[in-house]
């Protein structure tokens, strides 16, 4: 006589849990190897672009209330910042922040 359904189902869940535990232990051991040390630094920074690539932007850019104003190396070389000491940027940065605020 075959075992009842509940017993088979329990056995199947035990196998699945055992496999999941084994897989988790294996992945944990592999992630601690020196060639995979770069994974420690990825964290959520790797998940955000992956989510963006799979599902697209969470909010369309036209509906977003967020604006990023980046001051990078290129900014350092363009007017009004070019050839100006960083300590003297206060008025230019104030103008930029005023323009961003005025834009809403």
């Amino acid at each position: 006589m075959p075992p009842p359904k509940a017993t088979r189902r329990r056995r199947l869940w035990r196998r699945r849990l055992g496999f999941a535990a084994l897989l988790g232990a294996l992945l944990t051991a592999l992630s601690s190897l020196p060639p995979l040390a770069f994974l420690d630094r990825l964290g959520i920074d790797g998940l955000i672009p992956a989510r963006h690539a799979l599902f697209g932007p969470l909010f369309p850019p036209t509906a977003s209330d967020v604006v990023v104003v980046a001051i990078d190396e290129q900014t350092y070389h363009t007017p009004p910042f070019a050839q100006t000491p960083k300590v003297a940027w206060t008025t230019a940065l104030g103008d930029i922040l005023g323009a961003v605020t005025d834009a809403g």
Side-chain angles (χ1 to χ4, degrees):
M1 179 160 79
K5 279 186 175 182
T7 305
R8 278 187 286 170
R9 196 174 296 144
R10 231 180 273 130
R11 226 181 294 151
L12 181 63
W13 273 106
R14 283 185 192 153
R15 284 185 192 162
R16 287 181 181 173
L17 286 174
F19 179 73
L22 181 65
L23 185 63
L26 179 67
L27 290 175
T28 300
L30 285 175
S31 69
S32 65
L33 294 175
L36 298 176
F38 72 94
L39 292 174
D40 294 340
R41 296 183 304 271
L42 285 181
I44 198 165
D45 293 337
L47 296 176
I48 291 173
R51 187 237 172 262
H52 207 66
L54 289 173
F55 303 109
L58 190 58
F59 300 103
T62 55
S64 179
D65 293 335
V66 177
V67 175
V68 176
V69 178
I71 299 177
D72 56 3
E73 189 67 29
Q74 186 177 359
T75 307
Y76 295 154
H77 299 296
T78 56
F81 299 105
Q83 305 300 323
T84 306
K86 290 180 186 176
V87 88
W89 287 9
T90 307
T91 56
L93 289 174
D95 293 341
I96 291 170
L97 289 175
V100 169
T101 303
D102 292 342

